[in-house]
Amino acid sequence: PLKEFVGHGKGVLGLAWSHHDSALLLSSAKDHRTVCWDVHTGEPLCELLASGSWAHDVQWCPSQPGVFSAASFDGCVELHAVTGCTGGRVTE
């Protein structure tokens, strides 16, 4: 692989590249976390814990830079902004 992003504790379900910044990659996984990665460093820029079930899909907003959605198996779609989530690792 060209680069490996290590941080999810369980299987990854969704990935999305930013339309506005090619250095940003979103991932969602069975560990109930959505992570925004810095592609250059391989480090998480921010993380979110899902409020309910696993987030199975993540998408960047095509018109609003830094805004993304996370769809979960419990039927919820959450909207977030990169500026509103935690930097680095989530503390529980």
Side-chain angles (χ1 to χ4, degrees), residues 11-86:
V12 173
L13 299 171
L15 291 171
W17 291 96
S18 172
H19 304 289
H20 301 284
D21 187 344
S22 61
L24 299 179
L25 175 67
L26 287 174
S27 64
S28 60
K30 293 179 180 179
D31 60 3
H32 295 260
R33 293 175 30 222
T34 297
V35 180
C36 179
W37 300 91
D38 180 326
V39 174
H40 299 301
T41 65
E43 295 295 318
L45 289 176
C46 66
E47 296 183 26
L48 296 166
L49 287 174
S51 57
S53 187
W54 303 335
H56 64 84
D57 189 34
V58 286
Q59 296 293 322
W60 290 97
C61 178
S63 60
Q64 200 73 22
V67 175
F68 61 93
S69 64
S72 59
F73 283 111
D74 59 3
C76 293
V77 175
E78 297 178 347
L79 297 177
H80 299 280
V82 172
T83 57
C85 58
T86 64

